Amino acid sequence: MVYDACALYGNTLRNLLIRVARARLVQAKWTERILDEVDRSLAEKRGIPEDKRRRLRELINGSVADCLVEGYEPLIDGLALPDPDDRHVLAAAIKVGAQVIVTANLSDFPPDYLGQWDVEAKSPDDFVLDLIGINDRVVYSCVQQIVDERVNPPETIDDVLGQLERSGLIESTAALRLG
């Protein structure tokens, strides 16, 4: 699967998506161009300094083996999406044979168009809910790892689930709370 920039923007959601990839539930992919979008958003919306953004990019790229998609650029011009600026995400998915694009911008990836490439766009909530259905213990363990690393200030499982819920993972957090 390919993670779109909007899925990698929020800290807790990004942390969870990377952890499920590290746990080998999925093979996560992204591009430097996707990370450029994340970088711009973090600079513009959160005012995060360049050195911290650069370090974050290094951590993201170092977090999952074989995560960077390259050589997808020639495919971009031949694609047609409602927002032409999203063609690079689909091109990356096609290049690596990804079945899923994880994105909050579902309207930018019409199912009828993606279908010809055997690609489906899923919201982060639907994506994580699918993973819970596959192996809820691993997903819950990934959430617990986030809790365990947050020590200054300390956070609880409810704190992290609340952050994920505010990031749009409504059904997933409900399922994890019940689990």
Side-chain angles (χ1 to χ4, degrees):
M1 57 235 19
V2 172
Y3 292 162
D4 193 7
C6 55
L8 293 172
Y9 172 74
N11 183 45
T12 305
L13 177 56
R14 176 181 58 246
N15 199 331
L16 179 60
L17 292 176
I18 287 173
R19 287 183 185 280
V20 297
R22 290 177 59 90
R24 297 196 173 118
L25 274 180
V26 298
Q27 175 58 58
K29 301 280 190 178
W30 51 79
T31 66
E32 289 291 356
R33 186 166 170 185
I34 289 170
L35 293 182
D36 289 344
E37 289 183 38
V38 174
D39 186 72
R40 276 192 304 278
S41 292
L42 290 172
E44 293 169 7
K45 295 178 183 174
R46 294 198 189 159
I48 296 177
E50 184 178 349
D51 61 324
K52 290 188 180 203
R53 295 190 324 268
R54 187 174 31 253
R55 177 70 179 134
L56 177 62
R57 180 182 286 237
E58 291 170 5
L59 290 170
I60 291 171
N61 283 336
S63 65
V64 177
D66 195 33
C67 60
L68 280 175
V69 180
E70 297 175 331
Y72 63 92
E73 297 86 353
L75 301 172
I76 295 171
D77 287 340
L79 301 173
L81 289 173
D83 182 350
D85 290 340
D86 286 323
R87 295 178 302 166
H88 69 100
V89 179
L90 177 56
I94 293 167
K95 174 70 179 178
V96 296
Q99 296 174 324
V100 175
I101 295 171
V102 180
T103 182
N105 300 322
L106 295 175
S107 62
D108 290 344
F109 297 94
D112 56 330
Y113 186 74
L114 295 185
Q116 68 183 306
W117 305 105
D118 294 321
V119 177
E120 178 183 8
K122 287 195 174 209
S123 71
D125 195 22
D126 287 342
F127 174 69
V128 173
L129 201 56
D130 286 350
L131 295 180
I132 291 168
I134 293 167
N135 194 331
D136 62 337
R137 287 180 163 173
V138 170
V139 178
Y140 192 85
S141 173
C142 291
V143 173
Q144 185 62 54
Q145 290 169 19
I146 296 170
V147 172
D148 293 346
E149 78 178 6
R150 303 229 173 130
V151 294
N152 193 16
E155 292 184 6
T156 66
I157 195 84
D158 282 335
D159 293 332
V160 172
L161 289 175
Q163 293 163 16
L164 290 169
E165 191 171 47
R166 287 187 294 280
S167 295
L169 270 64
I170 308 298
E171 292 182 43
S172 299
T173 54
L176 288 166
R177 282 190 170 108
L178 293 175

